[in-house]
Amino acid sequence: MLKMLNSGIVKKINGVVSTGKESVVIHCNGGRIKTKGKECVIPNECVFKIHKTSLNEFSRRREYIDSRYAGFLNSSTKKLIDIWALKEVHNLNRLRRAGVLCPEVVAHRKQILLLSFIGNEGIPAPTLHEAVFSSTQLKSAYEQLLAAIKTMFHKCKLVHGDLSEYNLLWFNGALHVIDLSQAVLTEHSSALSYLYRDCTNMYNYFKDRGLKCLVDARKMFCEVTGFDVQYTDESSFLIRIEHLQRNVS
C-alpha cells in the first residue's frame, strides 16, 4: 500500500471498510498513474483489498483452483494466496468485459488489489443482507441477479461458487457482484455443483424476503444453464448434475 501511496497512485489512505477471514478492505482516495506513457486519473474513491497471508484455512480453498492455475497447486500457501488474488483480478475483468456490474481493478500488487469503490463518500453500498427493499426493488434485485448469473455462466464461462446475500451489493438501484477469487471456470469438475449451491443460497434469501413468483433452486439452475434436467427428487437432480459436469469438463 505504501508503494502505491508513494508513487501517487493513491493520495490518501482512510479507514477499514470491512474485514473477514480472507481479506481486509480499506477505503482510500485515488491519485494518478502512468500507463504506456499516458497519465490516467484514478477514481476518487477506491479500496485496497488485501488478501491475508496467514490464512490457516487456505488449504480448503485449493479445490477452487481451476485449470488456469493448476501449475501452482503444489506451491507454498503464500504463493497460492498471491495466485488467489490474481485469480480475482482475472475474474473481475471477465465480468466487466461482459457487462456484469462489479468493482473495477485499478491496480494489483501480489496479494493487494486496488479496486473502485462501490458506495459514496466513504460509505459502502449495503449488501443484500443489509439492504431494505420495496417489493418492486426486491423483484428488480432478483431479476438482475438471474441476469448476472446467466451472463457469468454463458459469456464469462464462470461460476461464482460462493454466492450469497453477503457478496452482492445494492447501489443506486443496481446489483453489483463482489468477492470473485473463488469463482471457477464452467469446465471445473465441481462447477455445476457450485452453481446449484449458489442457486440454493439465493433462492433461500429471496424466499425469506417474501418475493412472490419465485422459482425453486432446481428450476433456477435450469433457467441459468439452459439444461433440461430430468429429475424426480433432490437425489436424482444431484446425480444428473454430476453426469452433466462430466460432459462439460
Side-chain angles (χ1 to χ4, degrees), residues 9-21:
I9 295 176
V10 170
K11 289 192 299 185
K12 182 182 178 184
I13 298 174
N14 302 311
V16 173
V17 174
S18 66
T19 183
K21 290 189 300 182

Side-chain angles (χ1 to χ4, degrees), residues 57-77:
E57 296 183 359
F58 190 81
S59 59
R60 296 169 57 187
R61 292 290 176 175
R62 290 174 184 265
E63 66 182 87
Y64 295 95
I65 301 296
D66 57 37
S67 60
R68 294 172 291 176
Y69 314 98
F72 296 95
L73 272 173
N74 295 321
S75 302
S76 67
T77 298

Side-chain angles (χ1 to χ4, degrees), residues 122-133:
I123 301 173
T127 64
L128 288 199
H129 177 72
E130 301 163 327
V132 178
F133 295 106

Side-chain angles (χ1 to χ4, degrees), residues 145-156:
L145 172 71
L146 278 182
I149 301 175
K150 286 180 184 178
T151 301
M152 287 176 63
F153 187 82
H154 293 286
K155 290 186 178 180
C156 305

Side-chain angles (χ1 to χ4, degrees), residues 17-29:
V17 174
S18 66
T19 183
K21 290 189 300 182
E22 296 180 15
S23 64
V24 177
V25 179
I26 300 172
H27 184 269
C28 59
N29 296 115

